[in-house]
Amino acid sequence: MPSSCFADRIGSLLPLTPSERSSLIALEERERTLRRGATLYRAHDPAGELFILSKGMMMSYVLLDDGSRQILRFVFPGDIVGTIAYAEAPETVVALTDCVVCPFERSAFATLIEEHPRIAALILVYNQVERVALTDRLASLGRTSAKARIAAMLIELRNRRRQSDAEVQDSFPIGLTQEELGDATGLTAVHVNRMLRQLEDERLIERANGRVTIIDERGLTAAANYVDRYARLDLGWLPPGR
Amino acid sequence: MPSSCFADRIGSLLPLTPSERSSLIALEERERTLRRGATLYRAHDPAGELFILSKGMMMSYVLLDDGSRQILRFVFPGDIVGTIAYAEAPETVVALTDCVVCPFERSAFATLIEEHPRIAALILVYNQVERVALTDRLASLGRTSAKARIAAMLIELRNRRRQSDAEVQDSFPIGLTQEELGDATGLTAVHVNRMLRQLEDERLIERANGRVTIIDERGLTAAANYVDRYARLDLGWLPPGR
DNA sequence: CGGCTGCTTGAATAGAGTCAATAAACGTGG
DNA sequence: CCACGTTTATTGACTCTATTCAAGCAGCCG
């Protein structure tokens, strides 16, 4: 029975028409596996295919002239990555775990938009959700303390993980080095370590062999200035499905 | 002769069909004027209309619990603002100068997507361009010095202004207080002042009665780690126009 | 077992923030 | 057009958060 991560994601919001569903399943016909650490594409590579992540976890980042890295986004199953606007990729995407991605052509994307305007609108909705997540991180980097940034990142990672795996509760494998956490939050690895220790000393989290357990969710949320943006979507305005 | 800021923006990339053009012009039928400082909508307001900015300059921001502000985006003519994904606005939008905006209903947006898939695709392209601009700012806040952030912001403001007004060359009215520059770059107003002075002392810029003049573009760009993202779009994959 | 890579902690440093005081520019009403 | 009050810009002195540098430790994999 063929399935589609992306359809599952969208379908959880809205019943899809059979035609919509089959078009989405068709996008994920092909599969490619990636080893942990493998690069999906690099900044300045010519733009080619788009990808839906179907299994695993990836990240995108940019490198600055001085060699420092800013992690832009963590990618979870059902997310789309790829370059639609530019001739060259603006960022690098690598697998953080072994992954399965489904590549498809931009022309297939064009066809999807033509034939299924409601899906086009849903993609716009998801773009806004992701844009808001980015602006939350911008506010985090621009205006909050190191401790708050780490707390926010932990909550975000837990929430995103839970979306694709309902098993995840308060304990989850962090899956990132402290250096990666630093490159995502604009801190040094050393300072990330100190902040994790501080959150642990304050009994907001516990850590053991690569897993983090949130033991005081309310306290961690308060420390993080966190707002959950995945709640309260409004899809009433969408065009009808075809 | 009716016109459309948004059509002008898109039309500069691609010849539009008469039908596309008239649909876009219809979106901008109504106009609303805003005084400098006026609020278009506030965070947590129920989502209502969308807006195309037709004249002036606006900004969007969020306020954190401690009262600090992060400016997320500066809005220029032809840009769209509004909430399509959420039941409540995630940010506040205010006019930085006297403005004219064209409000339209989300249902009109839905109709546009249905009838003009190529415009839907172009909006997705613009979303990615804006997303990349946001990630560049994320990298700026996360991984560059105060001086680099201010330099990058000056170049960005000049470039965006030039898009809507080809007259703008190296000299432009900054149109923001130093506090606003700070809230956009994650710095304090005091430190913004020092960085502007430093850029001036290094003969990269000049300042006089509210205007900034870039006198060493190459030097400023180097100081900023700046990448121009509005170059090299690739629109070959779009569906045909209707 | 040995060699990585990642984690942990301390001490010294630097970059940005805070506080405070003054000056300049702007707007508004008379 | 001027006077006055308010906002914005400027600068210095001091503080503090996060970085840098350095060293030791732990865990993992061949």
Side-chain angles (χ1 to χ4, degrees):
Chain A
M1 162 85 186
S3 73
S4 156
C5 271
F6 188 57
D8 291 348
R9 162 77 66 95
I10 288 183
S12 72
L13 296 175
L14 201 80
L16 298 175
T17 66
S19 159
E20 285 174 331
R21 184 168 295 275
S22 70
S23 290
L24 291 178
I25 287 170
L27 275 193
E28 296 184 34
E29 254 167 7
R30 289 185 294 150
E31 285 195 344
R32 188 190 305 172
T33 64
L34 291 173
R35 287 286 171 72
R36 186 160 85 88
T39 302
L40 184 61
Y41 58 82
R42 237 176 277 275
H44 305 300
D45 280 357
E49 301 157 305
L50 303 176
F51 305 89
I52 294 168
L53 179 59
S54 118
K55 281 204 183 62
M57 178 182 178
M58 305 194 295
M59 66 173 174
S60 75
Y61 62 83
V62 291
L63 293 175
L64 306 193
D65 293 346
D66 64 356
S68 63
R69 175 174 70 172
Q70 176 66 49
I71 293 176
L72 304 172
R73 179 183 171 197
F74 294 108
V75 183
F76 289 88
D79 287 344
I80 300 181
V81 294
T83 311
I84 62 168
Y86 298 98
E88 295 183 356
E91 80 221 318
T92 300
V93 177
V94 307
L96 286 165
T97 65
D98 290 350
C99 287
V100 178
V101 298
C102 303
F104 58 95
E105 296 298 324
R106 285 186 292 185
S107 58
F109 193 57
T111 308
L112 182 71
I113 291 168
E114 260 193 296
E115 293 178 353
H116 295 293
R118 189 169 69 162
I119 290 177
L122 275 167
I123 292 171
L124 283 167
V125 164
Y126 264 103
N127 275 356
Q128 183 162 65
V129 169
E130 282 186 12
R131 199 178 64 75
V132 169
L134 256 182
T135 60
D136 285 341
R137 289 190 55 211
L138 198 73
S140 181
L141 296 211
R143 285 292 183 234
T144 77
S145 69
K147 192 167 84 175
R149 293 186 217 174
I150 294 299
M153 184 56 62
L154 292 178
I155 297 172
E156 169 96 9
L157 287 171
R158 197 274 314 261
N159 288 356
R160 303 271 344 250
R161 234 168 234 283
R162 190 155 55 183
Q163 275 195 313
S164 42
D165 174 7
E167 300 295 294
V168 172
Q169 285 303 326
D170 293 335
S171 178
F172 62 99
I174 182 136
L176 299 172
T177 66
Q178 293 179 3
E179 180 157 15
E180 286 161 346
L181 275 176
D183 286 344
T185 53
L187 300 169
T188 58
V190 171
H191 207 55
V192 168
N193 183 283
R194 287 194 241 266
M195 294 303 104
L196 286 170
R197 160 141 312 283
Q198 204 175 321
L199 292 172
E200 203 174 13
D201 289 347
E202 291 172 11
R203 314 267 333 123
L204 299 175
I205 63 170
E206 269 170 0
R207 292 182 298 155
N209 45 334
R211 296 184 70 87
V212 169
T213 306
I214 297 176
I215 55 179
D216 180 356
E217 171 128 19
R218 181 178 300 266
L220 195 64
T221 305
N225 238 274
Y226 187 79
V227 195
D228 185 1
R229 300 294 197 174
Y230 287 83
R232 310 223 23 184
L233 294 188
D234 176 4
L235 304 175
W237 60 276
L238 298 184
R242 281 189 192 159
Chain B
M1 163 83 186
S3 74
S4 156
C5 270
F6 188 58
D8 291 349
R9 161 76 66 95
I10 288 183
S12 71
L13 297 176
L14 201 79
L16 297 175
T17 66
S19 160
E20 284 175 332
R21 184 168 295 277
S22 71
S23 289
L24 292 179
I25 288 170
L27 275 193
E28 296 184 35
E29 254 167 3
R30 288 185 295 149
E31 285 194 344
R32 188 190 306 173
T33 63
L34 291 174
R35 288 286 170 72
R36 184 159 85 87
T39 302
L40 183 61
Y41 58 82
R42 237 175 276 275
H44 304 299
D45 280 356
E49 302 156 304
L50 303 175
F51 305 89
I52 295 169
L53 178 58
S54 121
K55 280 201 185 65
M57 178 182 180
M58 305 195 296
M59 66 174 174
S60 75
Y61 62 84
V62 291
L63 293 175
L64 306 194
D65 293 346
D66 65 357
S68 63
R69 175 176 68 173
Q70 177 67 48
I71 294 176
L72 304 172
R73 179 183 173 200
F74 294 107
V75 183
F76 288 89
D79 287 345
I80 299 181
V81 295
T83 311
I84 64 168
Y86 298 98
E88 295 183 357
E91 80 219 321
T92 299
V93 177
V94 307
L96 287 164
T97 64
D98 292 350
C99 287
V100 179
V101 298
C102 303
F104 59 94
E105 295 298 324
R106 284 185 294 184
S107 57
F109 193 57
T111 307
L112 182 71
I113 292 168
E114 261 194 293
E115 294 177 353
H116 295 292
R118 188 168 70 162
I119 290 176
L122 276 166
I123 292 171
L124 283 167
V125 164
Y126 264 104
N127 275 356
Q128 184 164 64
V129 169
E130 282 186 13
R131 199 178 65 73
V132 169
L134 256 181
T135 60
D136 285 342
R137 288 190 55 212
L138 197 74
S140 181
L141 296 212
R143 285 293 182 233
T144 78
S145 69
K147 192 166 85 174
R149 293 187 218 174
I150 294 298
M153 184 56 63
L154 292 178
I155 296 171
E156 169 96 9
L157 287 171
R158 196 275 312 264
N159 288 356
R160 303 270 346 247
R161 235 167 232 283
R162 191 155 58 183
Q163 275 195 314
S164 44
D165 174 7
E167 300 295 295
V168 172
Q169 286 302 325
D170 293 335
S171 178
F172 62 98
I174 181 134
L176 299 172
T177 66
Q178 294 180 0
E179 180 156 14
E180 286 161 347
L181 275 177
D183 286 344
T185 53
L187 301 168
T188 58
V190 171
H191 208 57
V192 168
N193 184 284
R194 288 194 245 265
M195 294 303 104
L196 286 171
R197 161 143 312 283
Q198 203 175 321
L199 292 172
E200 204 174 14
D201 289 347
E202 293 171 10
R203 314 264 338 120
L204 299 174
I205 63 169
E206 270 171 359
R207 292 182 297 154
N209 43 336
R211 296 183 71 86
V212 168
T213 305
I214 297 177
I215 54 179
D216 180 357
E217 172 127 18
R218 182 178 300 265
L220 195 65
T221 304
N225 239 273
Y226 187 78
V227 195
D228 185 359
R229 300 294 198 173
Y230 287 84
R232 312 225 21 188
L233 293 188
D234 176 3
L235 305 175
W237 61 275
L238 298 183
R242 282 192 192 158

